[in-house]
Amino acid sequence: MAVQAQPAINASPSPWSAVARAVALLTVAVSVLLTAFAWPSVRSSVHDVPIAVAGPAPAVRQISAALDERLPDAFEITEVADTTTAEQLIRDREVYGAIDVSSGAPQVILASAGSVAVAQTLNSIATALSQPQSRGASTAAPVRDLVPLPVDDPRGAGLAAAALPLVMGGLLAAFLLTRLVLGTTRRAIGALAFAVTGGLAVSAILQFWLGSLTGSYWANTGAVALSVAAISLSILGLESLLGYTGLGLGAATMMLIGNPLSGSATASEMLPGWSGMLGQLLPPGASGRLLRSTAFFDGHGATHSVIVLATWLLLGVLLCLASGLRRRGPSADLVSTAAQPTV
């Protein structure tokens, strides 16, 4: 007759030292989370944001000097001769906007699709460049939005909100595939398949339902698919090589470093210090810039992001291959040893 084990209801409670360790660990964890997500937002400011100033050389130098005096180190200025060149720089995503004095009176050209935060800063500059009128009043310099956001989402809320779900989608894919699927090759193929189906679904929601994206649906789908594949495969590769340690390392890199430093809600140049540059070398930052390029700028400015994402994807594949070779080595040695005749 089987006897069912009774739960240890009289087990002694944990020592107070264990409670203290748990409290200390939780305090460190919440402090790290707050620092990771709040620090970039609180310390963000306009610095070294690339813009163009178009017009005759004396007028350009005057505007550049006025900008440097009003907002020191805020802009990295490219001086051009005419409006057409400035507009081309904006469309190519080499600058975020321009101040055009080629016709005499200044006007501000911006691209809100590139960054709402930078567009707001350029709007404030238009107010500062106000021209006096005959009755003593003044009017702000005219503003022209060369690459506007969609009418259905004029604040770019959908695109900014999509940054976290893309990261979470890649993390969730890696976690579920390691739990539900056996075999590194099958997990990798599953991640790639999910990247395609997820890209189709996410792009359709953002473009056809929410109206947050324009441009080619297939180009947007490719951008989302490459982003999800880079995140999920890199984490799968780390997990296959290091186990749960690799899974945690990959998740922390994407969530605690990559997502807060992506600059998706503002611009990478507005993040403090070197953090914006670092964010663009990680999949969350590269994916946000790539999706803006495909949706609003006909793919211009996407090369760096594609290289970053492809590198992370390739890294994940190589880690998976390295893990497979490491596991295959001892098995092959055992089989060879078993096959040898005994004397």
Side-chain angles (χ1 to χ4, degrees):
M1 180 176 175
V3 180
Q4 187 175 1
Q6 297 294 323
I9 57 175
N10 295 324
S12 57
S14 299
W16 287 110
S17 59
V19 177
R21 286 194 298 269
V23 171
L25 181 61
L26 289 170
T27 304
V28 171
V30 74
S31 300
V32 170
L33 286 171
L34 177 62
T35 302
F37 285 92
W39 173 69
S41 299
V42 173
R43 292 289 183 261
S44 65
S45 62
V46 180
H47 57 87
D48 297 325
V49 173
I51 64 170
V53 179
V60 167
R61 286 194 295 268
Q62 183 180 1
I63 291 294
S64 300
L67 289 175
D68 191 54
E69 181 180 356
R70 183 179 179 84
L71 297 170
D73 301 322
F75 300 106
E76 184 178 295
I77 297 174
T78 300
E79 300 180 359
V80 296
D82 51 43
T83 306
T84 302
T85 305
E87 290 179 349
Q88 191 58 50
L89 289 176
I90 294 173
R91 291 192 176 98
D92 290 342
R93 301 207 72 187
E94 294 185 27
V95 298
Y96 282 95
I99 299 173
D100 183 15
V101 291
S102 58
S103 61
Q107 69 165 327
V108 175
I109 308 172
L110 51 84
S112 59
S115 170
V116 175
V118 175
Q120 291 172 346
T121 300
L122 291 175
N123 269 313
S124 67
I125 290 176
T127 303
L129 295 173
S130 58
Q131 298 293 311
Q133 301 299 303
S134 57
R135 297 184 178 179
S138 62
T139 180
V143 177
R144 180 160 56 94
D145 197 344
L146 186 65
V147 188
L149 285 162
V151 176
D152 292 336
D153 188 7
R155 296 180 294 108
L159 187 57
L164 182 59
L166 285 180
V167 177
M168 291 297 296
L171 292 177
L172 186 62
F175 178 76
L176 289 181
L177 287 169
T178 55
R179 298 283 294 179
L180 302 178
V181 177
L182 295 177
T184 303
T185 301
R186 286 171 172 78
R187 290 174 179 173
I189 293 175
L192 291 174
F194 167 67
V196 173
T197 58
L200 290 168
V202 170
S203 297
I205 292 171
L206 288 174
Q207 189 157 352
F208 301 130
W209 181 23
L210 300 179
S212 299
L213 301 180
T214 59
S216 168
Y217 167 70
W218 300 109
N220 295 334
T221 296
V224 175
L226 180 58
S227 304
V228 174
I231 294 172
S232 58
L233 271 173
S234 58
I235 296 176
L236 278 176
L238 288 170
E239 191 279 334
S240 66
L241 199 64
L242 303 175
Y244 285 113
T245 300
L247 190 64
L249 179 63
T253 300
M254 300 303 171
M255 281 295 297
L256 298 183
I257 302 176
N259 191 63
L261 302 185
S262 66
S264 297
T266 54
S268 60
E269 291 84 359
M270 296 184 70
L271 296 176
W274 46 262
S275 60
M277 184 181 301
L278 173 62
Q280 293 303 302
L281 296 176
L282 297 173
S287 64
R289 182 172 179 84
L290 176 59
L291 191 54
R292 284 186 187 274
S293 294
T294 58
F296 307 120
F297 295 90
D298 295 325
H300 293 294
T303 303
H304 178 269
S305 300
V306 170
I307 292 174
V308 169
L309 293 171
T311 301
W312 280 91
L313 193 156
L314 179 61
L315 174 64
V317 172
L318 292 177
L319 289 175
C320 289
L321 290 175
S323 173
L325 291 175
R326 188 184 67 174
R327 294 173 182 175
R328 197 171 295 127
S331 300
D333 293 341
L334 288 174
V335 172
S336 175
T337 303
Q340 291 179 357
T342 57
V343 178

